[in-house]
Amino acid sequence: MLNIALFGPPGAGKGTQSEFLLEQYNLFYISTGDLLRKEMSEKSKLGLEAQSTIASGGLVSDEVIVQIIEKTITENPDSNGFLFDGFPRTYIQAYILEGLMIKLNTSLNCLISLEVDEEVSVSRLLNRGKTSGRTDDNELVIRNRLKEYKDKTLPVLKFYKDRGIFFEVKGDQPIEEVNRDIQKVIKEELNKSLYNIVLFGYPGSGRGSQGLALAKKYELEYVSTGQMLDYEIKTKSKIGKRIFDLYENGELVPDEIVVQLIEKKIENSKGVKGFIFKGFPRTLVQSYILDGLLKKHGSSISRVIEIEVPTLELINRLDARSKTDRCMPYDTSISKIVKRLQEHEKKTVPVIEKYMQMHGLTKVDGVGCFEEVFQRLSDEIVKDIK
Ligand code: AMP
């Protein structure tokens, strides 16, 4: 998700720049001013409550703002990201935004402030007032809106400066140049954020080979818990012996072991573009751990993909694999294979359901040759990183 807040005094050009950005980044637009005007035109309870404040150029209460903004965000959890215009306007609203972003397991990427002189704002708004039909575009109210901006809204900048996501753009340049400067900020921010995929699928669905190939193509770090555990087995470490016994019984490895390995992997992967997690998380507990680990690194899950393959085909594939040198300790007999598939059903399917609600789930048909499935997966990823 890409979440941006456009900041600046009334008349800075936030509305105009928003139109460009919505098209350029396919975001969902949230202008608290527009939402309030809609509530007023519908004569709703919130609209009536806000009316006199807006007419005088004051700021509407944070209680009213939280209601309209929460409703809009939670109704659109699947959007590519949000563009906020005119929000947050108070320190409290900055906290509200942070809380709402956490609820969606995402964060604000940047707050871009359009810098213009007060007199430029006034003359632009007076000019807009000739055609906008907005009763608050008259000099007396404009002066009050600017005073509110200085008194209550400007202090919000500190909140974002402290978090290192505040950027200034000169707002008195020609429109195209302002847009160019904003895009530059966004591009730099996008380059900084990690792209993380969680790849689900039953054992035998091709998650491993596809995950590896995707990681190579898109320069992501491939994180396979199975591979890390196998390494422990092969090197006959102390944990390796324990893992081997668990595998023999078709059971899952305890979370403490897996978490230690994953944490080490993330911490050692400095400067990567993102991660592909395969075979993790496998339990609800692990799903909370992954969310927490990524949050700790200022990141979150970007996309969840499940490769779908019918059960009979899975059994055939695993049985065929057991007769090759890629045989795993857990697929040496049909009964072990079935046990493992059942274990997946019991423990991992609830995780997929949780992730589906939190991040949306992309199902990809895993039947067909390697290249066909790889193409289907690539088509999904390209949508995010184009
Ligand atoms: P705008 O269209 O953003 O200029 O907003 C018009 C008016 O709506 C402002 O002068 C405020 O009275 C009210 N308003 C819009 N957004 C907010 C907000 N986030 N907090 C408080 N009041 C707001």
Side-chain angles (χ1 to χ4, degrees):
M1 261 187 151
L2 170 67
N3 303 302
I4 304 168
L6 271 189
F7 196 88
K14 301 186 293 286
T16 309
Q17 292 300 328
S18 293
E19 283 175 30
F20 287 112
L21 297 174
L22 292 180
E23 207 163 288
Q24 286 155 349
Y25 297 98
N26 189 20
L27 302 172
F28 189 88
Y29 181 53
I30 301 190
S31 152
T32 40
D34 284 357
L35 291 172
L36 287 166
R37 280 185 284 279
K38 186 163 166 278
E39 296 285 338
M40 288 194 296
S41 72
E42 287 167 359
K43 298 200 166 26
S44 71
K45 193 170 158 282
L46 288 180
L48 294 172
E49 229 177 296
Q51 203 151 14
S52 59
T53 315
I54 293 180
S56 68
L59 286 188
V60 174
S61 74
D62 293 328
E63 287 73 22
V64 169
I65 297 297
V66 77
Q67 287 177 60
I68 56 167
I69 206 129
E70 176 160 36
K71 191 165 139 240
T72 317
I73 289 186
T74 45
E75 276 169 2
N76 297 284
D78 296 334
S79 80
N80 242 350
F82 294 101
L83 174 63
F84 298 98
D85 167 355
F87 175 82
R89 257 181 160 101
T90 64
Y91 218 75
I92 301 288
Q93 290 179 15
Y95 279 105
I96 293 171
L97 178 56
E98 186 138 292
L100 289 171
M101 293 282 99
I102 290 174
K103 202 166 156 190
L104 291 182
N105 194 29
T106 182
S107 56
L108 190 73
N109 295 77
C110 47
L111 179 125
I112 302 174
S113 174
L114 301 180
E115 304 286 319
V116 290
D117 283 346
E118 182 162 335
E119 289 316 309
V120 174
S121 287
V122 176
S123 81
R124 281 184 183 177
L125 290 173
L126 285 175
N127 210 14
R128 184 175 79 182
K130 291 180 194 152
T131 52
S132 69
R134 279 177 57 168
T135 47
D136 59 350
D137 281 347
N138 70 71
E139 182 146 9
L140 192 69
V141 179
I142 291 170
R143 296 275 174 205
N144 200 29
R145 285 159 68 192
L146 284 167
K147 186 174 176 313
E148 287 283 82
Y149 175 74
K150 273 190 277 183
D151 293 349
K152 299 184 184 154
T153 308
L154 270 181
V156 172
L157 293 185
K158 182 173 176 337
F159 186 96
Y160 294 98
K161 278 182 188 158
D162 289 347
R163 281 162 179 72
I165 54 167
F166 162 76
F167 301 90
E168 270 175 344
V169 164
K170 273 170 64 104
D172 54 4
Q173 314 173 77
I175 291 174
E176 294 72 24
E177 283 170 34
V178 177
N179 180 249
R180 183 204 57 205
D181 288 356
I182 295 177
Q183 283 203 63
K184 200 163 150 248
V185 171
I186 298 175
K187 270 199 193 113
E188 278 169 18
E189 276 313 290
L190 277 177
N191 284 341
K192 273 192 226 158
S193 57
L194 297 174
Y195 180 66
N196 303 313
I197 303 176
V198 174
L199 197 54
F200 284 118
Y202 276 78
S205 61
R207 313 167 288 189
S209 45
Q210 295 291 352
L212 253 176
L214 290 170
K216 196 161 172 223
K217 178 158 181 194
Y218 297 102
E219 297 171 61
L220 301 169
E221 187 73 21
Y222 178 65
V223 183
S224 155
T225 42
Q227 211 174 60
M228 293 187 222
L229 297 169
D230 285 343
Y231 175 80
E232 299 295 327
I233 296 179
K234 285 206 185 87
T235 52
K236 295 202 168 55
S237 70
K238 212 166 136 208
I239 314 177
K241 170 80 184 71
R242 249 177 89 198
I243 299 167
F244 184 79
D245 293 341
L246 294 162
Y247 270 4
E248 277 277 287
N249 295 319
E251 285 171 36
L252 292 175
V253 176
D255 291 335
E256 308 87 77
I257 297 181
V258 181
V259 171
Q260 272 174 36
L261 297 175
I262 297 260
E263 171 121 55
K264 205 163 80 191
K265 180 87 175 175
I266 295 183
E267 260 153 27
N268 290 341
S269 307
K270 299 270 179 285
V272 300
K273 288 192 176 165
F275 295 93
I276 294 191
F277 295 95
K278 174 253 159 180
F280 184 85
R282 266 187 161 89
T283 62
L284 276 174
V285 172
Q286 290 181 1
S287 73
Y288 285 105
I289 292 168
L290 181 59
D291 291 340
L293 281 176
L294 290 175
K295 179 94 195 142
K296 190 172 151 192
H297 292 262
S299 191
S300 61
I301 292 164
S302 317
R303 194 182 262 265
V304 183
I305 302 179
E306 182 181 17
I307 306 179
E308 289 190 306
V309 175
T311 313
L312 205 58
E313 165 99 9
L314 291 172
I315 296 175
N316 285 337
R317 285 188 189 179
L318 293 172
D319 185 43
R321 185 168 81 180
S322 74
K323 296 177 179 92
T324 69
D325 57 0
R326 291 189 300 123
C327 175
M328 295 292 181
Y330 43 75
D331 47 38
T332 48
S333 72
I334 294 287
S335 67
K336 279 187 189 169
I337 290 172
V338 171
K339 195 165 173 205
R340 190 153 170 87
L341 295 178
Q342 284 170 341
E343 183 85 4
H344 180 93
E345 173 88 40
K346 200 169 87 204
K347 300 228 170 105
T348 311
V349 168
V351 181
I352 302 179
E353 275 158 15
K354 174 192 159 197
Y355 273 12
M356 177 154 62
Q357 282 163 11
M358 284 175 68
H359 313 281
L361 175 72
T362 309
K363 293 190 179 204
V364 169
D365 180 8
V367 179
C369 72
F370 179 87
E371 288 73 20
E372 281 167 346
V373 181
F374 185 73
Q375 189 55 50
R376 286 177 209 137
L377 289 162
S378 292
D379 289 346
E380 295 301 330
I381 293 173
V382 162
K383 286 183 199 162
D384 297 332
I385 56 177
K386 59 178 179 281

